[in-house]
Amino acid sequence: LGGRKVVREGFKFAERWFLANGGWGSVSRESVGSVTGELDLEKLSLKDLKETVAPSGIVDSDRMVELFCGAVETLGSVGAAQYEASVSFGSEGTGPGQFQSVGRVAVHGEGSDQRVAAVDEFRVNVFNVCSGECVWSVGSEGDGPGQFQNPNGVAFNQRGEMYVSDWSNHRISVFDASGSYVRSFGEKGGGEGQFVGPLGLAFTAGGELVVADSGNHRVQVLREDGTF
């Protein structure tokens, strides 16, 4: 019941009640569920969910996933202007999930499995949208398999494989849905399937890969394996 502020304060009261009555050692899950069930937690922002509800431990994990995903979907469908800037991914640094220079992004999946990939200087970080957790990070500086000199475009195919264009290595690298390196294709040149500084990537509804081949002043449309 009530607006966001009322729900937020109501939840904090419920948490204090839970702790004052001895926590899980004395309070049943049914009692906690009865109390929190009176609150319209769907009205809370992602920030409220991450900073207030999740750390309390009084809402079970399945319910938290529903709340997180519902908040993300609401933010996307209604418009960010009506909401707080309530979730962010990463921080400054060189560790997993950190960035030195955030570049392009791509999104894949739905609900609790939805992921966002974000390009850094020599790697790509992939986060779970609902939880904000960095699920994997790929790449390092170089020209070997799975390495990048200047990663730029990023896109997911329908199976969740991630494609990353490398402007300086003039190729596209492919990683599976778990972040393992699969293959790369392309080399510097002006022929079919060759690139000079590939940039943006996208997939068509039919699964074809569209590549902005910047140095050749053209757009190439390829099969997923990089052939015409």
Short mmCIF file of all heavy atoms in Angstrom, two decimals, residues 59-106:
data_model
loop_
_atom_site.label_atom_id
_atom_site.label_comp_id
_atom_site.label_asym_id
_atom_site.label_seq_id
_atom_site.Cartn_x
_atom_site.Cartn_y
_atom_site.Cartn_z
N VAL A 59 13.52 -11.38 2.38
CA VAL A 59 12.76 -11.71 1.17
C VAL A 59 13.52 -12.81 0.45
O VAL A 59 14.73 -12.68 0.21
CB VAL A 59 12.60 -10.48 0.26
CG1 VAL A 59 11.87 -10.86 -1.02
CG2 VAL A 59 11.84 -9.37 0.99
N ASP A 60 12.85 -13.93 0.13
CA ASP A 60 13.56 -15.07 -0.43
C ASP A 60 14.09 -14.77 -1.83
O ASP A 60 13.68 -13.81 -2.48
CB ASP A 60 12.69 -16.33 -0.43
CG ASP A 60 11.49 -16.23 -1.35
OD1 ASP A 60 11.64 -15.88 -2.53
OD2 ASP A 60 10.36 -16.51 -0.88
N SER A 61 15.05 -15.59 -2.29
CA SER A 61 15.78 -15.32 -3.53
C SER A 61 14.87 -15.31 -4.75
O SER A 61 15.06 -14.49 -5.66
CB SER A 61 16.90 -16.35 -3.71
OG SER A 61 16.38 -17.66 -3.74
N ASP A 62 13.89 -16.22 -4.82
CA ASP A 62 13.00 -16.25 -5.98
C ASP A 62 12.19 -14.96 -6.08
O ASP A 62 12.00 -14.41 -7.17
CB ASP A 62 12.05 -17.44 -5.89
CG ASP A 62 12.76 -18.77 -6.10
OD1 ASP A 62 13.87 -18.75 -6.66
OD2 ASP A 62 12.20 -19.81 -5.72
N ARG A 63 11.72 -14.48 -4.93
CA ARG A 63 10.95 -13.24 -4.91
C ARG A 63 11.84 -12.06 -5.30
O ARG A 63 11.40 -11.15 -6.01
CB ARG A 63 10.36 -13.03 -3.50
CG ARG A 63 9.59 -11.73 -3.33
CD ARG A 63 8.39 -11.66 -4.23
NE ARG A 63 7.56 -10.51 -3.90
CZ ARG A 63 6.89 -9.79 -4.80
NH1 ARG A 63 6.95 -10.13 -6.08
NH2 ARG A 63 6.16 -8.77 -4.42
N MET A 64 13.12 -12.08 -4.86
CA MET A 64 14.03 -10.99 -5.21
C MET A 64 14.26 -10.94 -6.72
O MET A 64 14.32 -9.86 -7.30
CB MET A 64 15.36 -11.16 -4.48
CG MET A 64 15.35 -10.79 -3.01
SD MET A 64 14.71 -9.12 -2.66
CE MET A 64 15.68 -8.10 -3.77
N VAL A 65 14.40 -12.10 -7.35
CA VAL A 65 14.58 -12.13 -8.81
C VAL A 65 13.37 -11.51 -9.50
O VAL A 65 13.50 -10.71 -10.43
CB VAL A 65 14.80 -13.58 -9.30
CG1 VAL A 65 14.71 -13.65 -10.82
CG2 VAL A 65 16.16 -14.09 -8.84
N GLU A 66 12.15 -11.86 -9.03
CA GLU A 66 10.94 -11.29 -9.61
C GLU A 66 10.94 -9.77 -9.47
O GLU A 66 10.59 -9.04 -10.41
CB GLU A 66 9.71 -11.86 -8.92
CG GLU A 66 9.45 -13.34 -9.18
CD GLU A 66 8.23 -13.84 -8.42
OE1 GLU A 66 7.61 -13.03 -7.70
OE2 GLU A 66 7.92 -15.03 -8.54
N LEU A 67 11.32 -9.28 -8.29
CA LEU A 67 11.30 -7.84 -8.03
C LEU A 67 12.34 -7.12 -8.88
O LEU A 67 12.05 -6.07 -9.47
CB LEU A 67 11.55 -7.57 -6.54
CG LEU A 67 10.43 -7.98 -5.59
CD1 LEU A 67 10.90 -7.89 -4.15
CD2 LEU A 67 9.19 -7.11 -5.80
N PHE A 68 13.54 -7.66 -8.96
CA PHE A 68 14.59 -7.04 -9.76
C PHE A 68 14.18 -6.96 -11.22
O PHE A 68 14.29 -5.91 -11.86
CB PHE A 68 15.90 -7.82 -9.64
CG PHE A 68 16.75 -7.44 -8.47
CD1 PHE A 68 17.23 -8.40 -7.59
CD2 PHE A 68 17.10 -6.12 -8.24
CE1 PHE A 68 18.01 -8.06 -6.50
CE2 PHE A 68 17.89 -5.76 -7.16
CZ PHE A 68 18.34 -6.73 -6.29
N CYS A 69 13.71 -8.07 -11.77
CA CYS A 69 13.35 -8.09 -13.18
C CYS A 69 12.14 -7.22 -13.47
O CYS A 69 12.06 -6.57 -14.50
CB CYS A 69 13.11 -9.53 -13.63
SG CYS A 69 14.60 -10.54 -13.60
N GLY A 70 11.19 -7.20 -12.55
CA GLY A 70 10.02 -6.34 -12.73
C GLY A 70 10.41 -4.88 -12.74
O GLY A 70 9.89 -4.07 -13.52
N ALA A 71 11.37 -4.50 -11.89
CA ALA A 71 11.81 -3.11 -11.85
C ALA A 71 12.53 -2.72 -13.13
O ALA A 71 12.35 -1.62 -13.65
CB ALA A 71 12.73 -2.89 -10.64
N VAL A 72 13.35 -3.63 -13.68
CA VAL A 72 14.05 -3.36 -14.93
C VAL A 72 13.06 -3.20 -16.07
O VAL A 72 13.15 -2.27 -16.88
CB VAL A 72 15.05 -4.49 -15.25
CG1 VAL A 72 15.59 -4.34 -16.66
CG2 VAL A 72 16.18 -4.47 -14.25
N GLU A 73 12.05 -4.09 -16.16
CA GLU A 73 11.06 -4.02 -17.22
C GLU A 73 10.22 -2.75 -17.13
O GLU A 73 9.92 -2.10 -18.12
CB GLU A 73 10.16 -5.24 -17.18
CG GLU A 73 10.88 -6.53 -17.56
CD GLU A 73 10.05 -7.77 -17.30
OE1 GLU A 73 8.89 -7.61 -16.88
OE2 GLU A 73 10.56 -8.88 -17.53
N THR A 74 9.85 -2.37 -15.90
CA THR A 74 9.07 -1.14 -15.71
C THR A 74 9.86 0.08 -16.13
O THR A 74 9.35 0.98 -16.80
CB THR A 74 8.64 -1.00 -14.23
OG1 THR A 74 7.85 -2.13 -13.88
CG2 THR A 74 7.83 0.27 -14.03
N LEU A 75 11.13 0.10 -15.77
CA LEU A 75 11.98 1.22 -16.14
C LEU A 75 12.06 1.37 -17.64
O LEU A 75 12.00 2.46 -18.19
CB LEU A 75 13.38 1.01 -15.55
CG LEU A 75 14.42 2.11 -15.82
CD1 LEU A 75 13.95 3.43 -15.20
CD2 LEU A 75 15.77 1.71 -15.26
N GLY A 76 12.15 0.22 -18.35
CA GLY A 76 12.26 0.29 -19.80
C GLY A 76 10.96 0.66 -20.48
O GLY A 76 10.96 1.37 -21.48
N SER A 77 9.81 0.21 -19.96
CA SER A 77 8.54 0.41 -20.66
C SER A 77 7.89 1.76 -20.36
O SER A 77 7.21 2.33 -21.20
CB SER A 77 7.56 -0.71 -20.30
OG SER A 77 7.28 -0.68 -18.91
N VAL A 78 8.12 2.29 -19.17
CA VAL A 78 7.46 3.55 -18.81
C VAL A 78 8.34 4.75 -19.10
O VAL A 78 7.85 5.81 -19.46
CB VAL A 78 7.07 3.53 -17.31
CG1 VAL A 78 6.43 4.84 -16.90
CG2 VAL A 78 6.12 2.38 -17.05
N GLY A 79 9.66 4.59 -18.95
CA GLY A 79 10.53 5.72 -19.24
C GLY A 79 11.32 6.14 -18.02
O GLY A 79 10.78 6.28 -16.93
N ALA A 80 12.62 6.35 -18.21
CA ALA A 80 13.51 6.65 -17.09
C ALA A 80 13.23 8.01 -16.46
O ALA A 80 13.61 8.25 -15.32
CB ALA A 80 14.96 6.61 -17.57
N ALA A 81 12.54 8.91 -17.17
CA ALA A 81 12.31 10.24 -16.63
C ALA A 81 11.48 10.21 -15.35
O ALA A 81 11.56 11.11 -14.53
CB ALA A 81 11.61 11.11 -17.68
N GLN A 82 10.68 9.14 -15.15
CA GLN A 82 9.83 9.06 -13.98
C GLN A 82 10.50 8.33 -12.81
O GLN A 82 9.90 8.14 -11.78
CB GLN A 82 8.52 8.33 -14.34
CG GLN A 82 7.71 9.06 -15.40
CD GLN A 82 6.41 8.36 -15.67
OE1 GLN A 82 5.83 7.74 -14.78
NE2 GLN A 82 5.92 8.46 -16.90
N TYR A 83 11.76 7.89 -13.01
CA TYR A 83 12.42 7.07 -12.01
C TYR A 83 13.78 7.62 -11.66
O TYR A 83 14.38 8.38 -12.41
CB TYR A 83 12.57 5.63 -12.52
CG TYR A 83 11.25 4.92 -12.66
CD1 TYR A 83 10.48 5.06 -13.80
CD2 TYR A 83 10.77 4.14 -11.63
CE1 TYR A 83 9.26 4.42 -13.93
CE2 TYR A 83 9.54 3.48 -11.74
CZ TYR A 83 8.81 3.64 -12.89
OH TYR A 83 7.60 3.01 -13.01
N GLU A 84 14.29 7.18 -10.52
CA GLU A 84 15.64 7.52 -10.12
C GLU A 84 16.62 6.74 -11.00
O GLU A 84 16.32 5.69 -11.51
CB GLU A 84 15.88 7.12 -8.65
CG GLU A 84 14.90 7.71 -7.68
CD GLU A 84 15.04 7.06 -6.31
OE1 GLU A 84 16.05 6.38 -6.08
OE2 GLU A 84 14.12 7.23 -5.51
N ALA A 85 17.84 7.30 -11.15
CA ALA A 85 18.91 6.52 -11.76
C ALA A 85 19.32 5.50 -10.71
O ALA A 85 20.08 5.79 -9.79
CB ALA A 85 20.08 7.42 -12.13
N SER A 86 18.77 4.28 -10.81
CA SER A 86 18.77 3.38 -9.67
C SER A 86 19.67 2.16 -9.80
O SER A 86 19.73 1.35 -8.89
CB SER A 86 17.35 2.93 -9.39
OG SER A 86 16.78 2.38 -10.56
N VAL A 87 20.35 2.00 -10.91
CA VAL A 87 21.24 0.85 -11.02
C VAL A 87 22.41 1.22 -11.93
O VAL A 87 22.26 2.00 -12.87
CB VAL A 87 20.50 -0.38 -11.59
CG1 VAL A 87 20.02 -0.13 -13.01
CG2 VAL A 87 21.37 -1.62 -11.53
N SER A 88 23.57 0.72 -11.62
CA SER A 88 24.75 0.95 -12.46
C SER A 88 25.62 -0.28 -12.41
O SER A 88 25.55 -1.08 -11.48
CB SER A 88 25.53 2.18 -12.00
OG SER A 88 26.03 1.99 -10.68
N PHE A 89 26.45 -0.45 -13.43
CA PHE A 89 27.33 -1.59 -13.52
C PHE A 89 28.77 -1.11 -13.55
O PHE A 89 29.12 -0.20 -14.29
CB PHE A 89 27.07 -2.40 -14.80
CG PHE A 89 25.65 -2.88 -14.94
CD1 PHE A 89 24.93 -2.59 -16.09
CD2 PHE A 89 25.04 -3.60 -13.94
CE1 PHE A 89 23.64 -3.04 -16.25
CE2 PHE A 89 23.73 -4.05 -14.08
CZ PHE A 89 23.04 -3.77 -15.23
N GLY A 90 29.63 -1.76 -12.75
CA GLY A 90 31.06 -1.51 -12.84
C GLY A 90 31.54 -0.32 -12.03
O GLY A 90 30.77 0.40 -11.39
N SER A 91 32.85 -0.13 -12.07
CA SER A 91 33.52 0.98 -11.41
C SER A 91 34.86 1.19 -12.11
O SER A 91 35.25 0.41 -12.98
CB SER A 91 33.74 0.67 -9.92
OG SER A 91 34.52 -0.51 -9.76
N GLU A 92 35.59 2.22 -11.72
CA GLU A 92 36.87 2.48 -12.35
C GLU A 92 37.92 1.49 -11.85
O GLU A 92 38.03 1.24 -10.65
CB GLU A 92 37.34 3.90 -12.05
CG GLU A 92 38.65 4.28 -12.75
CD GLU A 92 39.06 5.71 -12.50
OE1 GLU A 92 38.34 6.42 -11.78
OE2 GLU A 92 40.11 6.11 -13.04
N GLY A 93 38.68 0.92 -12.77
CA GLY A 93 39.72 -0.01 -12.38
C GLY A 93 39.99 -1.03 -13.46
O GLY A 93 39.45 -0.95 -14.58
N THR A 94 40.80 -2.01 -13.15
CA THR A 94 41.19 -3.03 -14.12
C THR A 94 40.77 -4.44 -13.71
O THR A 94 41.11 -5.40 -14.38
CB THR A 94 42.72 -3.02 -14.32
OG1 THR A 94 43.37 -3.26 -13.06
CG2 THR A 94 43.19 -1.68 -14.88
N GLY A 95 40.05 -4.57 -12.60
CA GLY A 95 39.59 -5.88 -12.15
C GLY A 95 38.34 -6.32 -12.89
O GLY A 95 37.78 -5.57 -13.71
N PRO A 96 37.88 -7.55 -12.64
CA PRO A 96 36.65 -8.04 -13.27
C PRO A 96 35.47 -7.11 -12.98
O PRO A 96 35.25 -6.71 -11.84
CB PRO A 96 36.45 -9.41 -12.62
CG PRO A 96 37.81 -9.83 -12.19
CD PRO A 96 38.51 -8.57 -11.78
N GLY A 97 34.75 -6.73 -14.02
CA GLY A 97 33.61 -5.85 -13.84
C GLY A 97 33.97 -4.38 -13.72
O GLY A 97 33.08 -3.54 -13.53
N GLN A 98 35.25 -4.04 -13.84
CA GLN A 98 35.67 -2.63 -13.78
C GLN A 98 36.05 -2.14 -15.17
O GLN A 98 36.28 -2.93 -16.09
CB GLN A 98 36.86 -2.48 -12.82
CG GLN A 98 36.52 -2.77 -11.37
CD GLN A 98 37.68 -2.50 -10.44
OE1 GLN A 98 38.79 -2.96 -10.66
NE2 GLN A 98 37.42 -1.75 -9.38
N PHE A 99 36.13 -0.81 -15.31
CA PHE A 99 36.40 -0.21 -16.61
C PHE A 99 37.46 0.88 -16.51
O PHE A 99 37.55 1.59 -15.51
CB PHE A 99 35.13 0.43 -17.18
CG PHE A 99 34.00 -0.53 -17.43
CD1 PHE A 99 32.97 -0.66 -16.52
CD2 PHE A 99 33.98 -1.30 -18.57
CE1 PHE A 99 31.93 -1.53 -16.74
CE2 PHE A 99 32.94 -2.19 -18.81
CZ PHE A 99 31.91 -2.29 -17.90
N GLN A 100 38.22 1.01 -17.58
CA GLN A 100 39.07 2.18 -17.78
C GLN A 100 38.40 3.16 -18.73
O GLN A 100 38.54 4.36 -18.60
CB GLN A 100 40.43 1.76 -18.32
CG GLN A 100 41.22 0.87 -17.36
CD GLN A 100 42.59 0.54 -17.87
OE1 GLN A 100 43.44 1.42 -18.01
NE2 GLN A 100 42.81 -0.73 -18.18
N SER A 101 37.64 2.63 -19.70
CA SER A 101 36.94 3.48 -20.67
C SER A 101 35.78 2.69 -21.25
O SER A 101 35.98 1.83 -22.11
CB SER A 101 37.91 3.91 -21.78
OG SER A 101 37.23 4.68 -22.76
N VAL A 102 34.57 2.98 -20.79
CA VAL A 102 33.40 2.21 -21.25
C VAL A 102 33.04 2.61 -22.67
O VAL A 102 32.95 3.79 -23.00
CB VAL A 102 32.19 2.46 -20.32
CG1 VAL A 102 31.03 1.59 -20.76
CG2 VAL A 102 32.57 2.17 -18.88
N GLY A 103 32.85 1.60 -23.52
CA GLY A 103 32.48 1.86 -24.91
C GLY A 103 31.06 1.41 -25.21
O GLY A 103 30.14 1.70 -24.46
N ARG A 104 30.92 0.65 -26.27
CA ARG A 104 29.58 0.26 -26.72
C ARG A 104 29.02 -0.90 -25.90
O ARG A 104 29.76 -1.63 -25.25
CB ARG A 104 29.63 -0.10 -28.19
CG ARG A 104 30.15 1.04 -29.05
CD ARG A 104 30.00 0.79 -30.51
NE ARG A 104 30.60 1.89 -31.28
CZ ARG A 104 30.45 2.05 -32.59
NH1 ARG A 104 29.71 1.20 -33.27
NH2 ARG A 104 31.03 3.07 -33.21
N VAL A 105 27.70 -1.06 -25.96
CA VAL A 105 27.03 -2.09 -25.17
C VAL A 105 26.07 -2.88 -26.06
O VAL A 105 25.67 -2.43 -27.14
CB VAL A 105 26.25 -1.48 -23.99
CG1 VAL A 105 27.19 -0.76 -23.04
CG2 VAL A 105 25.14 -0.54 -24.47
N ALA A 106 25.72 -4.08 -25.59
CA ALA A 106 24.72 -4.91 -26.25
C ALA A 106 23.98 -5.70 -25.18
O ALA A 106 24.54 -6.01 -24.13
CB ALA A 106 25.37 -5.85 -27.26
#
